[in-house]
Amino acid sequence: MQVAQQQAILTIALLAAFADGNNDEREREHIRGLAQSLGQDSGIDLTRLYQDVLFKRVNLASVCMQLSSEAERQFAYEMAVCVCDADGSTCAAEQQFLAELKSCLALNNPTTTLFQQEADSLVAAAQSSVPVFNPQPSEPAARPTVDQAAIDSSILKSAILNGALEILPQTWASVAIIPLQIKMVYNIGQRYGYELDQGHIREFLSTVGVGLTSQYLEQFGRKLVGGLFGKVGGKWGKTLGGAATGMAFSFASTYALGQVAKRYYAGGRQMSAALLQQSFQETLAPAKDLQTKYLPEIQQRASTLNATEIMALVKGK
């Protein structure tokens, strides 16, 4: 894939990130920082692209015209769907954007329809797996005795699973990563006696520094500019070997998130936003090194995953 096509796809992904118009300041800062760091690594002026998208100086139809092959157009659309699904089911503005994008890309094939159905099904399953609103008191009546080793084991298991999802060739599999991170935090909170809901957990992720939309942008963006995407079954997708040798971003972020959540709920939710962010960053670096150790297990897990199991995992079965 040439630089012009990479730039076009990244522009479409950024347009998808801002399609709902509801990104708060923290998420915009996550995306801005990603654009700056990714631009330095790729040689593409992503900071300018970010500003052009943010201030609506980009014409979607013109960008789509830069993608000549159907495989590239399909891949761009799939990335956009994943980004729009990052914070839950797509809103009306995002649905309108995706419909316009689909038209501009001239996509009207069974592959596009099937992908949309698979991604939407995962999002719907995620909405039902963790309470959207929990009317019960969030503070535990008494501090329970917790098996720390069991929590550490569950965090590692979640990190390996999300690392495996990231390297699967099917793009839609990445839609499951954030719901599984939310479920992991939910389960950790429950172990310490807290009854949580999705709103609280999403706020916790954002405070810690795990952006929802920006997390998908980083996954796709780094692999796209790193050349880890290639033709898989006649379409653009992640090559299992290539992606596995790159940075398994989702393993590290999931592992660090789990460890910070454990400290936060074990300590009675007393950590400040600044301390949460510091703890996450301090844990993220060794988590990236830890990913190398567990790479064989991540690859093995990826080789056994299928759509049915991924759906069941998101549902919590």
Side-chain angles (χ1 to χ4, degrees):
M1 190 180 295
Q2 301 300 311
V3 172
Q5 283 72 48
Q6 291 178 337
Q7 181 170 308
I9 291 175
L10 288 169
T11 301
I12 289 170
L14 285 169
L15 285 166
F18 290 105
D20 63 359
N22 293 326
N23 296 101
D24 64 21
E25 185 59 37
R26 289 171 302 184
E27 188 69 1
R28 287 198 298 271
E29 181 59 26
H30 289 155
I31 297 172
R32 186 203 62 76
L34 170 62
Q36 184 177 35
S37 62
L38 193 58
Q40 291 171 349
D41 295 339
S42 66
I44 300 173
D45 190 354
L46 283 175
T47 299
R48 180 184 59 80
L49 280 182
Y50 165 82
Q51 292 172 344
D52 287 345
V53 169
L54 186 63
F55 296 108
K56 304 183 186 302
R57 296 193 293 251
V58 175
N59 181 275
L60 179 60
S62 298
V63 175
C64 291
M65 288 177 63
Q66 299 177 46
L67 302 175
S68 56
S69 74
E70 184 173 354
E72 291 170 351
R73 296 196 301 271
Q74 176 70 28
F75 177 59
Y77 181 76
E78 292 181 5
M79 279 188 65
V81 169
C82 291
V83 170
C84 286
D85 281 343
D87 55 358
S89 57
T90 53
C91 66
E94 289 170 324
Q95 290 171 3
Q96 181 178 351
F97 168 79
L98 290 173
E100 182 182 357
L101 175 63
K102 187 176 180 180
S103 175
C104 289
L105 292 171
L107 290 174
N108 186 20
N109 57 63
T111 300
T112 304
T113 302
L114 179 60
F115 177 85
Q116 187 76 62
Q117 291 172 345
E118 289 170 331
D120 289 347
S121 295
L122 277 173
V123 172
Q127 289 293 97
S128 62
S129 65
V130 173
V132 176
F133 173 72
N134 191 345
Q136 302 178 29
S138 60
E139 296 296 329
R143 195 72 61 197
T145 301
V146 178
D147 186 341
Q148 300 288 333
I151 293 182
D152 286 337
S153 177
S154 70
I155 291 171
L156 179 59
K157 184 177 179 181
S158 294
I160 289 172
L161 172 60
N162 277 351
L165 287 170
E166 185 182 343
I167 65 175
L168 285 179
Q170 300 91 341
T171 309
W172 60 262
S174 294
V175 175
I177 290 173
I178 289 175
L180 288 171
Q181 289 177 337
I182 289 173
K183 180 172 283 294
M184 176 188 69
V185 174
Y186 177 74
N187 290 334
I188 292 172
Q190 279 198 319
R191 288 174 183 260
Y192 287 101
Y194 291 97
E195 292 293 339
L196 309 176
D197 59 37
Q198 290 204 27
H200 168 91
I201 298 172
R202 290 175 186 275
E203 176 66 20
F204 174 75
L205 264 65
S206 184
T207 300
V208 166
V210 181
L212 301 179
T213 304
S214 57
Q215 185 172 180
Y216 282 148
L217 283 173
E218 180 151 7
Q219 288 174 34
F220 286 119
R222 291 202 180 280
K223 289 186 175 65
L224 182 65
V225 301
L228 296 179
F229 283 104
K231 285 288 186 66
V232 179
K235 56 170 282 186
W236 285 101
K238 287 167 279 189
T239 57
L240 186 60
T245 57
M247 181 184 72
F249 174 79
S250 295
F251 173 93
S253 62
T254 302
Y255 184 85
L257 176 64
Q259 291 296 329
V260 173
K262 184 181 74 168
R263 296 172 202 166
Y264 180 63
Y265 294 111
R269 304 200 306 180
Q270 298 300 310
M271 297 171 71
S272 66
L275 184 55
L276 283 170
Q277 293 162 12
Q278 179 184 342
S279 298
F280 178 74
Q281 291 301 321
E282 290 176 350
T283 310
L284 189 61
K288 291 176 182 176
D289 295 333
L290 195 63
Q291 178 266 329
T292 303
K293 175 182 177 181
Y294 287 100
L295 181 57
E297 293 182 44
I298 295 172
Q299 292 173 306
Q300 174 61 29
R301 191 72 177 96
S303 70
T304 64
L305 282 170
N306 56 50
T308 301
E309 184 182 3
I310 293 170
M311 181 65 72
L313 288 166
V314 170
K315 289 181 176 179
K317 298 180 179 180

